[in-house]
């Protein structure tokens, strides 16, 4: 049977929207995008959060670079402070979507199955459609890390940072935050400012605060040589990872080193003062967690314990595409992978013909930029270039 679409994009976050903006330029290509626009940003980041990425790294890509944050600021006649507040960025994403794909299909994809002509997609309302190609831009929401010590404890008592949007509701409560990344530290600051009694527990010997760039910037042009405007990664590495096609040609161990260094848990400089009054216990981890009289009892590796009304897991995300609920094991097993990341070709295609991955899952191949909004430009342009040179947009995809 003839497929309904040449390409389906799964996910309407920054990567899915950028892909839609670029693919719709290809004449004759029938593209459909599924998902609630900017859902992860609207529902899974803490209210009151500020973007860590600087202004030049916060534009979602479109072919003419006409839908930037600057264009949004002009079109909406509003002042947007820096760092950019979360709600303003969400409004920007929704504006971008309204310009590019007003007809986005808000249904979720429940399952993808391979078929003779490409893929069958089952949707959450029970209906289905067929597409020759599928571009997965489903983000990191499925990859939240929940340490096993907390298994079985109720979400009212223990939740991952991505499950607790309204951090201000914890006013007056005792909260333990685990983790030393931006999400953990900023949630801690927001809860502290809302009147919660917060303690942060960190496995590493210290918290890493970003800040070298600000100091090096005093050196003028030297700073420009060492840091790209995206500001991802330490001096030098920042310049290399800003060029994903170059990253691919470094030996594997060096590429992995770039990824680790650019993504190591760290807090933005502007959080330092906001975290000053919050106790941060380093070199410490939780050995067990249980419920005691409605509170969470945490036992720590130094022999001490803590009681808290709430534990917030700022424990990050580990890419593992087999955890995407819409990707059945039979299909995910066909994708060539390394530690949960798909190995991709130049056009972001996986080893399964017609199946593409954008965003964080593409970082094993294209480096750490792919975790961030600034990676949308490279990803969407390369994806569109790949689609544009296919012999015909209607070409059938072989079954692996
Ligand atoms: C707390 C926090 C702060 C961050 N701050 C920054 C920052 O300041 N700057 C920055 O560049 N990056 C930041 N990031 C990283 C950010 O997640 C990525 O930059 C960005 O979201 C990547 O876009 P994406 O489209 O890949 O993923 P997402 O924005 O997560 O979009 C994926 C979309 O896919 C949808 N989806 C998933 N499954 C389905 C399905 N089955 N059917 C339909 N739709 C589906 C989801 O609803 C979601 O909307 C932050 C991350 C976190 C957790």
């Amino acid at each position: 049977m003839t497929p309904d679409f040449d390409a389906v994009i799964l996910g309407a976050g920054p990567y899915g929207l950028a892909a839609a903006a670029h693919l719709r330029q290809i004449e004759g290509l029938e593209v459909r995008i599924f998902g609630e626009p900017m859902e992860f940003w609207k529902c899974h980041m803490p209210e009151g959060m500020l973007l860590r990425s600087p202004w030049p790294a916060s534009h979602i890509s479109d072919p003419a670079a006409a839908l930037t944050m600057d264009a949004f600021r002009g079109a909406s006649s509003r002042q947007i402070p820096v760092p950019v507040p979360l709600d303003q960025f969400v409004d920007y994403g929704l504006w971008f979507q309204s310009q590019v794909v007003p007809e986005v299909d808000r249904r979720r994809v429940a399952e993808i199955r391979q078929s003779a002509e490409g893929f069958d997609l089952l949707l959450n309302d029970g209906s289905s459609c067929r597409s020759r190609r599928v571009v997965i831009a489903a983000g990191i929401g499925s990859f939240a890390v929940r340490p096993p010590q907390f298994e079985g404890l109720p979400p009212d008592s223990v939740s991952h940072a991505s499950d607790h949007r309204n951090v201000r509701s914890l006013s007056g409560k005792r909260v333990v935050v685990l983790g030393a990344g931006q999400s953990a530290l900023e949630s801690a600051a927001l809860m502290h400012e809302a009147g919660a009694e917060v303690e942060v527990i960190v496995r590493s010997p210290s918290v890493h605060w970003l800040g070298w760039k600000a100091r090096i910037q005093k050196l003028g042009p030297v700073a420009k040589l060492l840091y790209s405007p995206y500001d991802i990664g330490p001096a030098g590495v920042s310049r290399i990872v800003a060029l994903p096609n170059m990253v691919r040609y470094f030996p594997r161990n060096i590429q992995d080193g770039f990824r680790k260094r650019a993504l190591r848990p760290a807090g933005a400089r502007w959080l330092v003062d906001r975290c000053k009054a919050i106790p941060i216990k380093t070199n410490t981890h939780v050995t067990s967690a249980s419920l005691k009289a409605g509170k969470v009892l945490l036992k720590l590796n130094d022999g001490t314990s803590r009681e808290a009304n709430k534990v917030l897991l700022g424990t990050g995300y580990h890419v593992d595409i087999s955890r995407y609920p819409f990707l059945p094991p039979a299909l995910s097993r066909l994708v060539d992978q390394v530690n949960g990341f798909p190995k991709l070709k130049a056009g972001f295609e996986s080893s399964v013909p017609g199946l593409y991955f954008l965003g964080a899952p593409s970082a094993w191949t294209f480096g750490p930029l792919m975790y961030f909004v600034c990676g949308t430009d490279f990803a969407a342009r390369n994806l569109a270039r790949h689609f544009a040179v296919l012999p015909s947009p209607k070409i059938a995809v072989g079954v692996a």
Side-chain angles (χ1 to χ4, degrees), residues 38-57:
M38 299 298 283
E39 188 258 354
F40 187 68
W41 293 79
K42 271 193 290 197
C43 307
H44 297 281
M45 293 191 190
E47 263 171 10
M49 185 191 104
L50 303 174
L51 262 66
R52 198 179 95 177
S53 53
W55 185 276

Side-chain angles (χ1 to χ4, degrees), residues 194-241:
E197 189 193 334
V198 184
E199 182 179 12
V200 179
I201 291 181
V202 175
R203 206 177 250 280
S204 52
S206 64
V207 169
H208 179 63
W209 298 103
L210 299 170
W212 272 104
K213 188 185 174 194
R215 277 170 247 163
I216 289 175
Q217 229 149 19
K218 293 189 186 120
L219 301 175
V222 176
K224 285 210 171 84
L225 280 178
L226 297 174
Y227 288 97
S228 89
Y230 300 148
D231 199 13
I232 290 167
V237 170
S238 172
R239 275 281 164 208
I240 298 167
V241 301

Side-chain angles (χ1 to χ4, degrees), residues 340-359:
F341 289 88
K343 285 184 176 179
L344 302 175
K345 299 174 203 158
F348 284 77
E349 191 174 23
S350 70
S351 57
V352 174
L355 190 64
Y356 300 75
F357 289 86
L358 301 184

Side-chain angles (χ1 to χ4, degrees), residues 329-375:
L331 182 52
S332 123
R333 270 198 299 271
L334 293 178
V335 180
D336 233 351
Q337 297 171 45
V338 182
N339 298 328
F341 289 88
K343 285 184 176 179
L344 302 175
K345 299 174 203 158
F348 284 77
E349 191 174 23
S350 70
S351 57
V352 174
L355 190 64
Y356 300 75
F357 289 86
L358 301 184
S362 64
W364 188 86
T365 312
F366 296 106
L369 212 68
M370 300 300 119
Y371 276 83
F372 301 95
V373 174
C374 55

Side-chain angles (χ1 to χ4, degrees), residues 20-77:
H22 286 259
L23 290 187
R24 73 172 194 161
Q25 300 287 305
I26 301 173
E27 221 184 302
L29 195 76
E30 283 286 331
V31 182
R32 169 68 60 93
I33 176 167
F34 286 101
E36 182 61 35
M38 299 298 283
E39 188 258 354
F40 187 68
W41 293 79
K42 271 193 290 197
C43 307
H44 297 281
M45 293 191 190
E47 263 171 10
M49 185 191 104
L50 303 174
L51 262 66
R52 198 179 95 177
S53 53
W55 185 276
S58 303
H59 311 296
I60 304 173
S61 173
D62 69 288
L67 302 175
T68 58
M69 288 276 289
D70 304 273
F72 169 62
R73 183 172 52 190
S76 61
S77 314

